[in-house]
Amino acid sequence: MIAYGRKYSLTISVPENVDTSTVDNSGSVAGGAVKDAAGDGKKVQLDALTIVNLQMEAKVASTKASGKKDSPVTTIKVYNLSAATRAFIKKGGLVELLAGYEGQEDDLPLIFSGQIVTVYTEVLGPNRVTTLSCTADANVRNNVRVSLPPVRGSSYASLLAALVDVAAKKGLPLGHFKKEGAKLNSALPSGMPIQGYLLDEISKVCGNIGYRAYITLGKLFIEPINEDLTVESILISSATLAGSIKALKDTSGKNLGDPTSKDGVKVTVFLNGLIDISKYLELEVPDHEGTYKIISVAHDLNYEGGQWTTQLDAEKVS
C-alpha cells in the first residue's frame, strides 16, 4: 500500500555515443532519437528507461556550504528490478528523479539530476535491491580538464565567463551567475593561468573574490558568498512542517548566543520538491518568521511507507 498518494518517476539514461563532428541542431540523426547537449551542437544518442511504482528509497543531498569540495552523494535504492533493467543500469549513467504526490503526475518536481558513480545489487530477505550512488557533477568533475593561458588585463569576470562557456559545452548549463562587486571586474595585470579540472578551477577563481560555485538540479550556479540576492523564495508555514524547527550554529561555527553570529534553523517539511539550494525560504512560523538563505537540502524518500520529507538548513538574512 502506498502512503499518502505518493508519486515518483526515476529515469536512467545511458549515453551510447557522442558525435562532435556536426553543429547541426536539427534534433535528429540517423539511428534514433537525439538529445542536443547544452545547445552547443554536440549530439548524444540516448537509450533511457523510466521506473515508477516499484518500491524506491532515496536520500538526496545538496549543499552550498563553504568547504565542501566534493558534491554530496545521493543514494537511490530500487526493489526487484528485472534482470534486463539491472543489466541496463551502469556506472556513468544519467539519472533524473522526480517526486511528489497524486495530482502532480504531469508536473512532478525534479529533485535530483546527476550521474551514477557506483551501482550494485544485493539480496536482502525476499527482495533484490539495486543501489545507485550518484552525484550531481560526477562526469564533469572527474572527466573535464581545462587549460587557458594567462591573458594580460583580463578580469575575474572574464575568466569565469570562459569557464562557464566550457561547462555549458560539456553538458553543464548555467543556472545563474550573479555579477556583483568591484573585485569581480578588477583587472589582472598579468592574467591568471587556468589549468586543471574544470570545477576545481572555477572554485579557485571564485575563492579569490568571495564567490562560490555549486551545482544543483543539473545546473551551475555562481554567486557572492556574503551578499543577499533577489531570487525565488519558497513559503513555509506551520501547516507544512513535519517536525519541530531546530536552532543551528551559523556557517562560521559561532554559537547562536554570540552577538556577531547569524541565526540559523533546521526545518523538516513534508516532501517539497520545489525547495533547492538556489532559492530562499520565507518562514511563517511563530518565533522564526523571516527570510532565510537555504544552505543545504536533504530529501528523504520511502515510496511504500516511512519518510517522504524535505529537510533544510538555512541562515536568516532578514
Side-chain angles (χ1 to χ4, degrees):
M1 180 178 178
I2 311 306
Y4 311 117
R6 299 170 178 181
K7 293 290 182 182
Y8 80 89
S9 174
L10 174 63
T11 299
I12 302 170
S13 307
V14 179
E16 288 192 338
N17 63 52
V18 177
D19 177 8
T20 57
S21 63
T22 176
V23 293
D24 175 17
N25 284 327
S26 62
S28 63
V29 295
V34 170
K35 179 181 179 181
D36 174 20
D40 66 334
K42 183 186 303 175
K43 297 296 184 181
V44 182
Q45 184 163 334
L46 299 176
D47 283 333
L49 58 82
T50 298
I51 300 166
V52 296
N53 298 329
L54 292 178
Q55 166 60 348
M56 184 276 302
E57 300 168 5
K59 293 187 181 295
V60 180
S62 58
T63 184
K64 58 181 177 182
S66 59
K68 301 292 185 181
K69 182 177 180 180
D70 297 326
S71 291
V73 174
T74 284
T75 302
I76 303 171
K77 296 184 177 183
V78 189
Y79 284 60
N80 302 317
L81 293 170
S82 68
T85 299
R86 295 197 306 271
F88 175 87
I89 301 173
K90 298 185 183 299
K91 178 180 177 179
L94 310 179
V95 174
E96 285 194 347
L97 177 60
L98 294 77
Y101 303 91
E102 286 183 355
Q104 294 181 308
E105 287 86 350
D106 295 331
D107 195 25
L108 282 174
L110 176 67
I111 66 169
F112 178 75
S113 177
Q115 302 87 42
I116 300 171
V117 178
T118 63
V119 56
Y120 64 90
T121 298
E122 59 186 337
V123 176
L124 298 176
N127 299 302
R128 194 182 300 271
V129 182
T130 300
T131 301
L132 288 65
S133 295
C134 313
T135 66
D137 59 9
N139 289 348
V140 173
R141 181 173 295 280
N142 298 328
N143 299 316
V144 179
R145 297 180 67 91
V146 63
S147 179
L148 301 174
V151 177
R152 294 181 181 276
S154 60
S155 66
Y156 290 110
S158 63
L159 284 175
L160 285 173
L163 293 170
V164 164
D165 184 58
V166 173
K169 290 179 178 179
K170 296 300 182 179
L172 180 61
L174 183 65
H176 68 219
F177 178 10
K178 297 295 184 179
K179 300 179 180 179
E180 302 174 3
K183 193 168 185 180
L184 178 68
N185 294 302
S186 58
L188 298 167
S190 300
M192 179 177 176
I194 299 294
Q195 186 167 9
Y197 285 103
L198 174 63
L199 296 184
D200 291 343
E201 294 303 301
I202 291 175
S203 295
K204 180 177 74 175
V205 176
C206 286
N208 286 336
I209 55 174
Y211 267 58
R212 66 176 152 219
Y214 59 91
I215 296 170
T216 182
L217 302 183
K219 295 183 179 181
L220 173 65
F221 292 78
I222 300 175
E223 64 189 30
I225 292 176
N226 295 319
E227 293 189 31
D228 296 333
L229 308 174
T230 302
V231 296
E232 182 180 352
S233 296
I234 301 295
L235 176 65
I236 297 296
S237 65
S238 298
T240 61
L241 293 179
S244 59
I245 295 179
K246 298 179 180 179
L248 295 176
K249 292 181 180 180
D250 78 346
T251 53
S252 68
K254 298 172 183 174
N255 292 319
L256 288 175
D258 187 322
T260 65
S261 71
K262 299 177 182 178
D263 291 334
V265 292
K266 181 183 291 290
V267 183
T268 302
V269 299
F270 297 109
L271 179 70
N272 186 340
L274 299 178
I275 295 173
D276 75 75
I277 56 175
S278 68
K279 300 174 183 175
Y280 273 32
L281 174 70
E282 292 291 342
L283 202 53
E284 292 188 353
V285 178
D287 301 324
H288 299 286
E289 295 92 342
T291 301
Y292 293 76
K293 182 188 303 181
I294 299 175
I295 302 300
S296 64
V297 174
H299 302 292
D300 193 352
L301 281 63
N302 186 326
Y303 180 55
E304 293 185 354
Q307 295 290 91
W308 200 254
T309 58
T310 299
Q311 185 177 86
L312 58 97
D313 292 351
E315 181 182 276
K316 192 169 186 179
V317 295
S318 66

